[in-house]
């Protein structure tokens, strides 16, 4: 099918989380004409997930603290972070915070920032803690996008990146009724992570791993795909609400039958578990997450949580802030019994970028949770927001600069209008497969079975020509999700050790010989994973 150019711009941004919005604003401020495309509403993705009160944001306490934060990120990342990206991230956080503040966005500060609850998870000290309030961010960013003349196309799904002469020059999108070819001189991919590939997830449904598949198809490399942040969340009564890990030290955890979740003296274990949100294989507190996950596999009702009198009567400030929000947004208090389980949250891996957000593919830049390298096997709390602000801004600037002397996009593009007869049940099957075999506890047999299952689901997508746009979009969506799932599984299979967020029950210890990131590429349609050699860069 030949599609005519529907509209064109200098910079096309895909995604409307904090990275996509930052990219659109910065590109427009640089003088570029900008179109922002998002599948859901503006202000979407993990950044604006409604299951929590706002965006936590941390940075170095001052310039003297930058070196320590760089070192800590690399230590917490277990050697899986790219040093150049880590340095670019840390150096860019303070200017990014000041820009947001100068725009008028409300940043919540701690009244009692010396409390231990304000130490970012996996960190060892207090930093510059900020909380970007959702309502304020939406209002200010909306005004600024309008002032700069950024065109917003919400409710549009991206199906393919268009390339000409080896350069990305646009995208094919759909509004559900028709296919449209949007042209550009540079494109910023900011479509988010892949949390919704798992049955239980703490992210919006548009965080589905399609950007990673689109980038892979365009010739990009993916890195650290096996490192998925997994953390506790509410199964009931407010499904998909983030559980505040700081409360673990005040909890009583029970199985649905009333039996204790953990045996023996557990106070020190829960005290340690209260210091970090996501699961990690690095700390003894992994026993808590493994017990919750196994309990959920045995009984879908999950683990029952009640709180101590100490917390109900005198909660720390950070915990009180959470429960104030929970009461207003969900109608729940500390007195209400809840059931929790393990949820996929945010990806630490994705498109491997250079510090300027280039991907090695001309015309294509990437930022936010769709990318990887600036984090490692574990990530310090509050740095996901920092990542989106810093590299989103860099992507906007780099994309705008790349428009110089670039020819206008072609007037037409070719698109294969094909679809599988019935792929409606594929996604639920994929989510269950990933939940059972690629969540907290992984092993060779489970990962191998999952990979074969995902390959089988891909092979079952028998493509035939059609003009049904809805079927075309659904098929492209499923194919992309299955592709990204294969990337996760292949990397997890190759890493026969436990490191950070990646826990192998059959290889429970970290292995020095595997202290290198894994890169995933696509050659001739075949997805391949390999350990990265020292000195390798993301540029092909």
């Amino acid at each position: 099918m030949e599609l005519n150019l529907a509209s064109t711009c200098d910079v096309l941004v895909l995604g409307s989380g904090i990275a996509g919005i930052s990219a659109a604003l910065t590109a427009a401020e640089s003088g570029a004409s900008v179109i922002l495309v998002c599948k859901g509403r503006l202000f979407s993705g993990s950044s604006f997930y409604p299951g929590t009160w706002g965006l936590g944001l941390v940075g170095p306490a001052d310039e003297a603290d930058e070196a320590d934060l760089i070192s800590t990120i690399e230590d917490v990342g277990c050697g899986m972070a790219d040093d150049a990206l880590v340095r670019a991230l840390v150096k860019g956080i303070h200017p990014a915070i000041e820009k947001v503040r100068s725009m008028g966005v409300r940043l919540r500060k701690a009244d009692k920032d010396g409390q231990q609850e304000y130490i970012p998870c996996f960190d060892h000290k207090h930093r510059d803690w900020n909380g970007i309030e959702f309502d304020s961010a939406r209002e200010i960013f909306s005004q600024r996008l309008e002032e700069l003349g950024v065109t917003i196309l919400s409710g549009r799904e991206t199906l393919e990146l268009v390339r000409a002469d080896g350069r990305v020059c646009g995208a094919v999108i759909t509004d559900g009724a028709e296919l449209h070819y949007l042209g550009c001189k540079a494109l910023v991919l900011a479509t988010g992570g892949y949390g919704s590939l798992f049955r239980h997830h703490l992210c919006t449904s548009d965080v589905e791993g399609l950007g990673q598949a689109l980038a892979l198809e365009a010739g990009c490399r993916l890195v650290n795909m096996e490192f998925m942040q997994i953390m506790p969340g509410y199964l009931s009564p407010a499904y998909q609400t983030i559980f505040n890990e700081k409360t673990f030290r005040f909890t009583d955890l029970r199985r649905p039958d009333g039996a204790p979740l953990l045996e023996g003296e557990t106070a020190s274990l829960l005290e340690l578990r209260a210091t970090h949100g996501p699961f990690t294989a690095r700390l003894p507190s992994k026993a808590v997450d493994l017990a919750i996950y196994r309990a959920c596999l045995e009984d879908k009702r999950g683990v029952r949580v009640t709180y101590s009198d100490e917390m109900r009567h005198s909660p720390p400030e950070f915990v009180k802030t959470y429960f104030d929000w929970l009461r207003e947004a969900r109608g729940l208090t500390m007195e209400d019994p809840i059931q929790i389980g393990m949820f996929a949250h945010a990806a630490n891996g994705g498109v491997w970028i250079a510090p300027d957000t280039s991907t090695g593919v001309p015309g294509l830049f990437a930022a936010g949770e769709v990318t990887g390298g600036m984090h490692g096997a574990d990530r310090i709390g509050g740095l996901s927001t920092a990542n989106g602000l810093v590299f989103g801004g860099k992507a906007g600037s780099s994309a705008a600069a790349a428009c110089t002397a670039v020819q206008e996009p072609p007037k037409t593009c070719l698109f294969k209008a094909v679809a599988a007869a019935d792929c409606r049940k594929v996604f639920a099957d994929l989510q269950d497969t990933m939940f059972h075999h690629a969540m907290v506890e992984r092993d060779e047999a489970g990962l191998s079975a999952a990979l074969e299952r995902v390959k089988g689901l891909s092979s079952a997508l028998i493509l035939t020509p059609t003009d049904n746009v809805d079927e075309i979009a659904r098929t492209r969506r499923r194919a992309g999700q299955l592709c990204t799932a294969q990337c996760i599984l292949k990397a997890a299979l190759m890493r026969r050790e436990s490191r950070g967020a990646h826990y192998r029950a059959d290889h429970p210890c970290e292995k020095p010989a595997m202290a290198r990131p894994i890169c995933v590429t696509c050659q001739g349609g075949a997805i391949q994973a390999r350990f990265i050699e020292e000195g390798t860069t993301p540029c092909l």
Side-chain angles (χ1 to χ4, degrees), residues 195 198-202 235 239-240 300 342-344 435 439:
F198 299 79
R199 184 209 294 168
H200 298 308
H201 51 272
L202 295 170
L235 291 171
Y239 181 61
Q240 290 185 312
K300 293 181 180 179
M342 299 307 294
F343 288 69
F435 175 76
M439 279 282 282

Side-chain angles (χ1 to χ4, degrees), residues 476-506:
R476 290 267 176 165
R477 191 183 314 133
R478 298 297 176 247
Q481 291 163 337
L482 292 168
C483 171
T484 298
Q486 284 193 54
C487 295
I488 298 167
L489 295 168
K490 281 181 175 284
L493 267 169
M494 178 166 282
R495 188 165 295 287
R496 292 181 172 87
E497 63 162 356
S498 293
R499 185 180 293 266
H502 172 71
Y503 176 71
R504 288 283 297 261
D506 50 348

Side-chain angles (χ1 to χ4, degrees), residues 257-295:
D257 63 4
L261 178 69
L262 302 166
E263 300 294 337
E265 178 54 49
T266 62
S268 61
L269 200 63
L270 291 173
E271 187 82 24
L272 178 60
R273 187 60 187 83
T275 65
H276 59 93
F279 164 78
T280 180
R282 293 183 296 116
L283 301 172
S285 51
K286 64 178 177 285
V288 178
D289 301 81
L290 288 168
I292 294 172
Y293 176 61
R294 291 165 182 168

